[in-house]
Amino acid sequence: MPGRHFLFVPGPTNVPDRVLRAMHRNMEDHRSSVFPELTHGLLRDLAPVFGTTRGRPFIFPGTGTGGWEIALTNTLSPGDRVLAVRNGQFSHLFTQAAINLGLNVSTIDVPWGDRVPPDEIGAALRADSAHAIRAVLVVHNETATGVTSDIGAVRQAIDGAGHPALLFVDGVSSIGSLPFAMDEWGVDAAITGSQKGFMLPAGLALVAMSARAMASTAQARLPRSVFDLRPMAAQNDAGYFPFTPPLSLLYGLREVLTMFAEEGLPELFTRHTRLASGVRAAIDAWGLALCSRVPSAHSDTVSAIVVPVDIDARTVIDVAFRRYDLALGGGLGELAGRVFRIGHMGDLNELMLLGALAGVEMSLADAGYDVPLGAGVAAAQRVWRGQPAAATA
Ligand code: PLP
């Protein structure tokens, strides 16, 4: 199809042209005496994106899923107890990874569309008077439902229970797009991948570990080899990697971190909020609801939109893809067919999103939903021009 493909799945996201150019280079000797400049610069500039000066960032070949494994295998031993909150498909998979690795997992299950409940975490930890639970696992931004949880409140619940559990946070669809305050929230392992807010192809697992998490690497007995933080930390100190690093992605990451610094992280976060507000106004104008139930939890990186019962969201997605070259995210797990998702993170601006919103409107209409064409686009335009969304009517 001529023209640009419209990629609006919540990851992978659009790779900026300058990042593509930065990755387009020949290979080089990763053991050269100048290589440490690249490694040290990347690790230094990654830290503020995680919101840490005390934690230690790492770059592994892998993806977000690999990041879960890095956090778990480097800190825990077979049979260790962990407490995992499930409020969507990715928290379900994070939990499953812990089970697969041989951990003893207790879960707190909340309806998909709700956020992580700090009070229930506090209650579960208070009930664990022997302090057997070693870690709490939560997802900051549940990409399946478009729900952002309050990680600071989770930390308060853990501390309020006087419990020493480590806090592991999946920030795959938040870190690099939404404020993430690893130090302030007392996060012990923060996990992300390269293909969402970092605007790169998939291929990197980016994690940051607290001093406490690093200290547990010595006692942890879960098997690990390529994901072992100990050789990685030792080699990184010297500016190297324990294996051949994915050089193109490292150069892409270098460019992304430069872009983050140029825009400024606070400005980048504000842009995501502004863009998300316009998308939400459009959804409202379509007469549709978000899967996320509480307005303060609505995600600024992804909106999961519930379709009326007589419409199959898969039809909307398929029409958008085939007819309008617009890629939307599908409903995952129990949400299959019930929601479609618009990713609004990364290299985006208002006009790109207006194109996507126009495409969604046409696809909804083609799929049989009676939507006044232009209503969502106009609502978003009003928000982005600085007028209240209420003026839509
Ligand atoms: N966690 C969340 C919140 C995600 O959105 C995803 C992927 O979309 C993952 C984990 C899995 O990451 P990856 O596909 O990079 O392994």
Side-chain angles (χ1 to χ4, degrees):
M1 220 183 253
R4 283 228 162 190
H5 175 59
F6 267 54
L7 181 64
F8 282 85
V9 296
T13 65
N14 295 289
V15 181
D17 288 344
R18 62 185 274 193
V19 175
L20 288 172
R21 285 195 295 274
M23 290 190 295
H24 186 79
R25 52 189 298 153
N26 211 331
M27 291 299 100
E28 66 180 62
D29 177 14
H30 58 284
R31 309 257 182 233
S32 79
S33 59
V34 298
F35 197 76
E37 249 175 72
L38 176 66
T39 309
H40 286 143
L42 289 174
L43 295 170
R44 178 196 62 222
D45 295 344
L46 258 184
V49 189
F50 283 90
T52 188
T53 54
R54 301 197 293 270
R56 179 160 187 166
F58 291 95
I59 304 164
F60 276 89
T63 67
T65 308
W68 294 336
E69 193 158 325
I70 292 166
L72 296 169
T73 58
N74 279 283
T75 53
L76 300 169
S77 298
D80 272 355
R81 279 192 68 194
V82 301
L83 176 66
V85 178
R86 288 194 291 206
N87 63 333
Q89 179 70 2
F90 292 102
S91 40
H92 163 70
L93 293 174
F94 192 6
T95 306
Q96 198 55 48
I99 294 169
N100 295 345
L101 288 167
L103 295 165
N104 177 359
V105 184
S106 313
T107 58
I108 294 174
D109 286 284
V110 297
W112 290 21
D114 281 359
R115 59 185 149 191
V116 171
D119 46 341
E120 287 186 45
I121 293 175
L125 293 180
R126 270 193 299 279
D128 175 36
S129 52
H131 292 175
I133 294 172
R134 295 287 323 283
V136 174
L137 318 185
V138 293
V139 173
H140 181 208
N141 189 76
E142 205 2 299
T143 321
T145 58
V147 168
T148 309
S149 290
D150 183 347
I151 303 301
V154 173
R155 166 47 65 195
Q156 278 173 15
I158 297 172
D159 292 349
H163 199 288
L166 295 163
L167 174 58
F168 293 172
V169 181
D170 170 320
V172 173
S173 59
S174 61
I175 295 170
S177 310
L178 307 182
F180 193 93
M182 177 172 178
D183 289 353
E184 186 190 322
W185 299 339
V187 174
D188 293 293
I191 300 145
T192 190
S194 48
Q195 78 277 18
K196 297 192 194 279
F198 282 89
M199 309 180 291
L200 288 163
L204 296 179
L206 305 167
V207 299
M209 307 292 281
S210 72
R212 263 188 81 211
M214 286 307 291
S216 38
T217 58
Q219 299 98 46
R221 284 183 291 102
L222 278 178
R224 58 208 192 269
S225 176
V226 70
F227 284 156
D228 195 334
L229 286 173
R230 292 164 298 178
M232 184 60 106
Q235 288 283 326
N236 283 177
D237 282 343
Y240 298 100
F241 288 77
F243 37 68
T244 315
L247 209 61
S248 313
L249 286 168
L250 296 191
Y251 277 106
L253 179 60
R254 179 58 276 158
E255 192 67 11
V256 165
L257 293 171
T258 303
M259 289 176 72
F260 283 177
E262 284 171 8
E263 183 174 5
L265 286 176
E267 290 77 10
L268 181 152
F269 301 146
T270 309
R271 172 168 58 84
H272 280 82
T273 303
R274 187 175 72 247
L275 293 177
S277 309
V279 173
R280 288 193 283 264
I283 295 162
D284 235 24
W286 295 331
L288 297 177
L290 289 169
C291 177
S292 168
R293 271 183 264 270
V294 185
S296 59
H298 292 347
S299 167
D300 283 346
T301 58
V302 53
S303 294
I305 300 144
V306 182
V307 294
V309 281
D310 54 335
I311 307 270
D312 188 330
R314 286 169 286 220
T315 309
V316 180
I317 294 163
D318 197 48
V319 167
F321 193 77
R322 286 172 185 275
R323 241 180 239 174
Y324 304 114
D325 209 10
L326 165 65
L328 300 168
L332 300 174
E334 65 182 56
L335 295 175
R338 290 176 49 211
V339 309
F340 67 92
R341 294 174 300 147
I342 303 176
H344 32 87
M345 72 189 115
D347 189 37
L348 280 185
N349 59 25
E350 286 86 346
L351 294 190
M352 290 166 82
L353 262 168
L354 283 173
L357 294 176
V360 171
E361 275 178 7
M362 291 193 287
S363 308
L364 281 168
D366 294 353
Y369 180 62
D370 185 18
V371 59
L373 291 178
V377 169
Q381 285 171 324
R382 288 195 185 92
V383 169
W384 291 329
R385 290 188 65 231
Q387 293 175 18
T392 317

